[in-house]
Amino acid sequence: AAMALAFAGPAYAQERELVIAQGIDTSGFDPHAHTTAAIEAIHVNIFDYLLMRDGKGELQPALATEWEQVSDTAMRFRLREGVLFHDGTPLTAADVKFSLERPALDESVIQHSFYDTIREVEVVNDHEVIIHTDGPDPILLNRVSRIGSGIVPKAYVDKVGWDGFAQKPIGTGPFRMVEWRRDDRIIMEAFKEHWRGAPAWDRLIHRTIPEDSTRVGELVSGGVDIATNIPSQDIERVKASGIATTAPWPSFRVMTLFVNTKEGSPLADPKVREAVDLAIDNKALIDTVFNGLGTPVRAAVTPGLSAVPMEYHNTFLYDPERAVALLKEAGYGPNELTLKLQGPSGRYPLDVEMLEIISVMLNAVGINTEIEALEWSSYNSRIWEPNKIEHLALIGHANSLQDGYHAVQRARCGLEFSNKTGWCDKRFDEVVGQSAVTVDPEKRSALLAEAFKLLTDSRSIIFLMQLENTIGIGKDVDWRPSPDEQLWMYAAKPKG
Amino acid sequence: MSAPAKDLVETPVLAVEGLSTAFRQQDGSLRTVVEDVSFTIGPRRTLAVVGESGSGKSVTALSIMRLLPGRKSRIGGSVRLNGEELTTLPMDAMRRIRGNDVAMIFQEPMTSLNPLLTIGYQIAEVLIRHRGMSFAAARAETVRLLEKVRIPEARSRFDEYPHRFSGGMRQRVMIAMALACRPKLLIADEPTTALDVTIQAQTLDLIKSLQDEEGMSVLFITHDMGVVAEVADETVVMYQGKTVEMGATADIFANPRHPYTRALLSAVPKLGSMKGTSAPSRFPLIDPATGRQRENQSPVPADSEMRPRAQPVLEVKNLTTRFPIRKGLFGGLRGRVHAVESVSFSVQPGETLSLVGESGCGKSTTGRSILRLVDPTAGSVTVDGKDIRAMKPAELRRARRGMQMIFQDPFASLDPRATVGSAIAEPMLTHGAASRSGVRQRVVELLHRVGLSAETAQRFPHEFSGGQRQRICIARALALEPKIIIADEAVSALDVSIKAQIVNLMLDLQQSLGIAYVFISHDMAVVERISHRVAVMYLGRIVEIGPRAAVFENPQHPYTRKLLAAVPAADPSRRTMRRASGTEADIPSAIRPVDYRVPELAFREVGEGHLVLQG
Amino acid sequence: MIGYVVRRVLQMIPVLFGITLVVFVLLRASGDPVSLMLGEEASEAQIAQLREAYGLDRPLYEQYAVYMGDLLTGDFGRSIRYNNQPALEVVLERLPATASLAAMALVYAILISLPAGIIAALYRRRIPDQIASFLSVLGQAMPNFWLGIMLILVFAIWFGWFPVSGREDAYAVVLPGLALGASLAAVLTRLLRSSMIEVLSQDYIRTARAKGIGPTAVMLRHAIRNALLSYLTVIGLEASSLMAGAVVTEQVFAWPGIGLLAIQAINSRDMAVVQTIVILAALIVMLVNLLVDVLYSLIDPRIQHV
Amino acid sequence: MSDLELAPSAGWRLRPFAALDLRLSPLAAVGIVILLAFVAMALFAPLLAPFDPAIPSLRARLAPPSWLEGGVAQHVLGTDHLGRDMLSRLIFGSRIALLVGFLGVAVALMIGVCVGLVSGYFGGKLDAALMGAVNTLLAIPNTLLYLTVLAVFGQSLLLLILIIGCINWTTFARVVRGEVLTIKRREFIEASRTIGQRPVVTMFKHVLPNVLGSIIVIATMNVAMLIILEASLSFLGFGVQPPTVTWGRMLADGRGYVATAWWLAAFPGLMITLLTLSLIFIGDWLRDRFDPRSDS
Ligand SMILES: Nc1ncnc2c1ncn2[C@@H]1O[C@H](COP(=O)(O)OP(=O)(O)OP(=O)(O)O)[C@@H](O)[C@H]1O
Ligand SMILES: Nc1ncnc2c1ncn2[C@@H]1O[C@H](COP(=O)(O)OP(=O)(O)OP(=O)(O)O)[C@@H](O)[C@H]1O
Ligand SMILES: [Mg+2]
Ligand SMILES: [Mg+2]
């Protein structure tokens, strides 16, 4: 794309433009009104958080320069001075209070559930705030460095309203939004007064190209500089093009099978659940479906998450003979058990193919299968949301809080996972509950490790793999993708 | 007119010698449909080609014009126009001759004009093409031509489209188009067959007077001997693709040599041939192969004299049928077609009443109203003492057993996908008139009755000729032993000889079964043969009704006279110099405004049962 | 004529009403926008809260009544997916993209089918006819997403003549237009061929030839106009399938039109937007058909609408 | 044709197509042979297919056809992205293609013909109402309708066929209605009224057999259209459930491999083209046979 501008005349000849292609468009620029990582990946260039993760996933100061625990339920943040919004107004503590209290207090905001521990944001002075939480919140820092915590200018929002803001956002980020053509492109310009200094690009363009092969086509023909989600079969092709190369882009998303353990389901019998787990060869699944890209897991653990037992990463159980034996013990001879495999079609990469391969694997130990792959919204509303899993349902979970607590907490009795699987364990609830108010990292990790073990051993959720995407990067761009699925383009530099 | 003088000095305008035309069939073989046809036409003369349907008349004409599909047909022999050989001419040169030296008019005026182009343009096109005129000049010339063929207000009609023109006017447009370049030869392929008697007469007149003016020769194709007698100097008779007889028209009529010619002539209904009798009478028929008379030729016995006044099978009183015309945003009523207006008549058992009149005068609507195929607006229809109009649907269906209908088009009135047997059996099965096996028995009986063999029951309509199909329709109509049959133009679409056969069949059936007919027709000569009584309709009204002899021999209403005068006489010696051709193009329309008040009708009795509309 | 047009437009109202009802019920019955928006991480309490906020917890008929009430005042509702933007605005801003795509497809379809259909009819059952027939069969048998991908690969990536996707420059419409227009071209070719064959067998063509008019003039002045009548009707009827095809084509070419919007709106159960699209599309289809009928009556003097 | 003296067994039944000249044209013969081959393929798929179409093979992912470099001998047409045998999948795929195509058309046919017949034959208010429904359905872009309906009712094969039928009948209804309006004016229908036949009987006995000609022609075209529709729905994620193999799904899945493994999409595409071609040949031929004018 940098080349394409050469035609635009001498005045623009120097302009550096970076074009990124993703499969989906943003729904708007209200940072509290979505839950999608791919949208955050766009927003992150416009909004800053109090803290920000660096390329290794470590939390670094951003709008907040220092922070300290004031009490069990309060944390003080010192704000950076001289930070300007895109409209030239300076950042103050009032903006921070405004930005964080909205998701925390307004129940109708989509991000609310991630901020409901926050009781109040107290303005100490122009450059200092204290966040008060309901109880001890060990992951408050995670909360203020993610999606729903982008800082917006209060005065501007008061003027245009949130609906207006969603169309024309203003933030403190390195780029400012100029034009948004829905489902086509978002055009951003460098914000030269950005507190980190002017970005290397004059223009940043996010394009929406839903069709994979078309996106790859743009990449290899030089139409875009960075393209996300390169299908595995095209990796060689991209590399061979000489125009771009690819890099692994691990995702926090872990693919799982939710299991109906409720009464009446054959899977209420733990033996059958174990048989299913043992029947699935996670590695072969990854190799066959994803051409080897992905990591087998036994729990929702991925590198970059805090407080997770990493021993469940890159490991899996596979023992078909034992699976047959377990089935026999449970009273099922070959082909006497039929399980329904449900899953979405088109929500996750190669989701239907996963179902097909899992089905074959289950068949191999003598379990008959029936696949039901539905378009995402139907799947979501027919099976997922009313908790009507028949036997096994494919689902992928990301972890936008990037913390172990979030990975297991919803499996507590009466919460979403439990409602779906029907698995409910007192001890599990207890340790998870404790971890939520335990600030000491050691203790907390220990509690969560036990919780992970309980959940994994219950096999109410059978964990399959961590997804690994591939991102395509043009040869002219110097950029190393970070492990948190963000497209933070301030870090990208033109080559040569 | 004068006998044809063989003019040896003048070269003939058209000389056809040994013309043979064959079509390539699906399997690649050739089927010859015109074989070794030869004739010549001298300047200013008219040659008629006659023969029954499928005898190759049209193919002959199209071969002369070389208008047959080139890849599918093969033409042999020679065709010379003014000495120039046409069969070998390059296509370009041929195109310069078409429409210029030879012009052609076709049978179907309704489809022969392009519906999307104006009348004027279609004529002017010829002038532009052959005379190289500018459009303006062509336009002026076209208007002149239109005036010449007596299209009223020619100037303003230049820009009109064909669908606004009646059949007769369209045929005149075709003639104007043909005459545009003053061709030496005009080929007219059945130009009047599709037209009404009166319009037909006008059109024939026009062609003849223009021929005299322009001095061209005419090749006239027809199957109607009446028309031949009227127009032709010489006649060629074709039979199965060959010429069987050729000569001066008068000679041929006076002294037909070939049996086929004789058969053809014997079957021609001649108006006035029934003078002095009052009962219907069969046609004398001659077998085309042997030349002998085919059936014993007794006229229908005198028993069909008017019967004593029994109870009529059908009584129609003040029958009125109007069709609303709706237009505008909300489909408001803008007028009505007064298709049938206060029509009254009665029919006795075993009697035939004919309804005659021009196209659109309401004959069919009358018939359909009687059967309640359309719902009449007012009046009463009594069949066998029961009022048809008061009946509920189921009742009506039952009542229809007693009255049947035979339609004009035998091709259209049989379901192409049902066997003949099931078509005839259907009415009986519907009414449970007989057991299943009884039905089969009866079908065979009926087939025999109409002169078909039993095995035809299993065949499909497309395997039959038009005449045979009409027999099947009659058999179907007879299946329920109706008291009355309404025959709507039942023989109009048939060839002369077939027509005669069917008329004879109907008469026989009437005689043996005592059926009453309402016979709807515009063919006066057939009507004369078949009817006991005649009703003449004009614009939805009966203008004259009475015994056939009285109406034909003593027509009182001017319209009846006009209708009779228009019938071509199949006798060259009586070729009349025509009555001043009417220029009025159309039959006046029966469309009236909503608030139209129907004037009172009064009839004057001129003889016994002979009534004439007054005023 | 004006009366006729008015009447036809009035007739569209019940149809549109029926469409809104059908679509409303279907969409509502099939999924819940809130749980879709919240994704896998949503909590049940949160779903309930949001649903209440959007009034989705009320009975269906009540929701429909509210929706229709708004609709009658010209309010097409607001997009849930696009942060409460007015649905009509969201849809309308896409209209030009789809319109230009459809127009391009139509241009292709006509440019291809007109000569191809005529030549096929003229050379009936001979080589040119068979080639045209085969190509049109291919055009019909090839799903347009497939054709789109092939076109991108060959003309955009290998040859680099056209942009791969998007609608930034003027040439961008060339490939998606072709992908969308191909099957219409195929249908129209076959149709034109058969109506041409039919017209050529009509009596008035024989009349024209008997006048000595040359084959080209017969073709141009006498035959084509008549054959175009049914051609025109089919174009009208195909307007709706063009809209349907646009859904797929836009997806392939990342063409920011209504089709792309439609898929995403359906997938996120964005009621107001789907409704607006369907109403708009139906309206366009019906207007196109009306236009075709009016054109038809202009070409064919026999038809008179009053 | 027996020379009958009342042979009662040789009754005259309604034989709708006996009146047809069914001589084959060369193209039609080709079409019929292809179609029969596909039918045989569908019927005997388990016997014909060398492999189980659902069984993946890790080692043989994306193997090219056997005659190409890198091809594996036992996978004649190569393997797909999960290492499943292409040939076997194509063979099994013919089942769904034919099922969706023919059953979908059958459902559409039934609805469309009934509506068309009733609408055309009885006219009036009923006609206005039915045509209103047709116009409503026609005015909604088809794809949107399919997507919403499939989203509501799920994506089983049976439902897909039913839905396709329930949405796709409008063409038939319109054509049948048009034909009925013409046929209604033919005299044999009137003749049927004059013998006192009930309208419903007339409709099925006399009207229906006479519209069958054009219906069959559209139906053959429609079969092809539906197969492609299934492909498009698969492309949009609304296809038939795995492990059922469909050409449409193969085509849709293969689209990402145009540049790297062309055989994934080329073969199912070829199959669809062949089937469409054969149906179009047969349809053209049937139309010629049903239209007496077409060959004069
Ligand atoms: N284009 C054609 N291809 C094949 N056969 C044809 C063609 N045109 C006419 N015929 C056949 O040639 C024969 C003669 O037909 P032609 O039209 O000349 O009869 P006709 O005497 O004019 O009859 P009619 O009085 O019905 O017009 C018929 O058997 C007809 O079927
Ligand atoms: N269903 C109808 N709706 C409107 N007008 C009709 C209808 N049927 C007949 N007419 C009109 O009624 C008038 C009488 O028609 P009808 O068919 O009875 O004439 P006809 O004497 O039988 O003519 P033809 O000799 O042509 O059969 C005509 O002007 C015709 O246009
Ligand atoms: Mg395992
Ligand atoms: Mg003829």
Side-chain angles (χ1 to χ4, degrees), chain D residues 63-209:
Chain D
S66 60
W67 65 86
L68 290 181
E69 199 183 325
V72 185
Q74 66 264 40
H75 297 294
V76 178
L77 297 181
T79 60
D80 72 357
H81 57 305
L82 299 181
R84 297 172 296 196
D85 183 51
M86 283 295 289
L87 179 61
S88 306
R89 289 179 73 71
L90 289 173
I91 291 173
F92 273 90
S94 64
R95 297 186 149 189
I96 303 306
L98 296 180
L99 218 58
V100 168
F102 285 95
L103 281 187
V105 166
V107 174
L109 206 64
M110 271 185 315
I111 305 176
V113 167
C114 286
V115 170
L117 273 181
V118 168
S119 195
Y121 192 77
F122 294 107
K125 295 233 166 63
L126 195 60
D127 180 31
L130 288 175
M131 283 303 119
V134 168
N135 287 338
T136 309
L137 268 185
L138 277 177
I140 308 178
N142 232 312
T143 325
L144 296 190
L145 211 53
Y146 283 116
L147 295 192
T148 26
V149 177
L150 283 173
V152 179
F153 296 107
Q155 291 163 234
S156 80
L157 179 61
L158 190 70
L159 269 166
L160 183 72
I161 290 170
L162 279 179
I163 291 165
I164 283 179
C166 291
I167 294 176
N168 218 39
W169 55 271
T170 47
T171 334
F172 291 102
R174 280 176 81 117
V175 171
V176 169
R177 177 174 173 274
E179 291 262 321
V180 170
L181 288 180
T182 339
I183 288 172
K184 207 168 72 165
R185 272 185 265 127
R186 303 257 299 268
E187 280 167 349
F188 67 86
I189 299 302
E190 199 136 87
S192 167
R193 283 177 73 194
T194 60
I195 62 161
Q197 188 59 277
R198 266 189 306 275
V200 178
V201 181
T202 305
M203 211 163 74
F204 281 98
K205 220 169 143 183
H206 297 296
V207 180
L208 182 59

Side-chain angles (χ1 to χ4, degrees), chain B residues 403-418:
Chain B
M403 42 188 192
Q404 287 297 306
M405 191 146 179
I406 308 170
F407 298 91
Q408 167 163 18
D409 188 348
F411 288 86
S413 51
L414 287 172
D415 183 345
R417 307 241 185 279

Side-chain angles (χ1 to χ4, degrees), chain A residues 295-318:
Chain A
T295 314
V297 295
R298 292 198 59 220
V301 292
T302 57
L305 299 189
S306 48
V308 290
M310 282 311 284
E311 67 262 32
Y312 288 123
H313 190 253
N314 204 357
T315 175
F316 65 103
L317 300 180
Y318 172 60

Side-chain angles (χ1 to χ4, degrees), chain A residues 262-282:
Chain A
K262 292 173 193 167
E263 199 144 331
S265 161
L267 292 155
D269 184 343
K271 291 201 176 91
V272 181
R273 300 206 292 269
E274 191 180 350
V276 170
D277 188 8
L278 295 179
I280 299 171
D281 180 345
N282 307 33

Side-chain angles (χ1 to χ4, degrees), chain B residues 142-188:
Chain B
T142 300
V143 170
R144 203 187 59 75
L145 282 164
L146 285 173
E147 276 162 359
K148 197 159 166 182
V149 297
R150 306 191 188 104
I151 301 278
E153 296 168 64
R155 190 168 302 279
S156 67
R157 308 208 83 159
F158 184 95
D159 292 316
E160 273 186 25
Y161 292 91
H163 72 280
R164 299 251 194 141
F165 283 49
S166 69
M169 286 168 78
R170 286 196 210 183
Q171 201 57 290
R172 271 180 269 165
V173 170
M174 286 294 293
I175 294 172
M177 195 187 294
L179 295 185
C181 291
R182 299 167 194 270
K184 301 183 193 75
L185 175 69
L186 175 69
I187 301 177

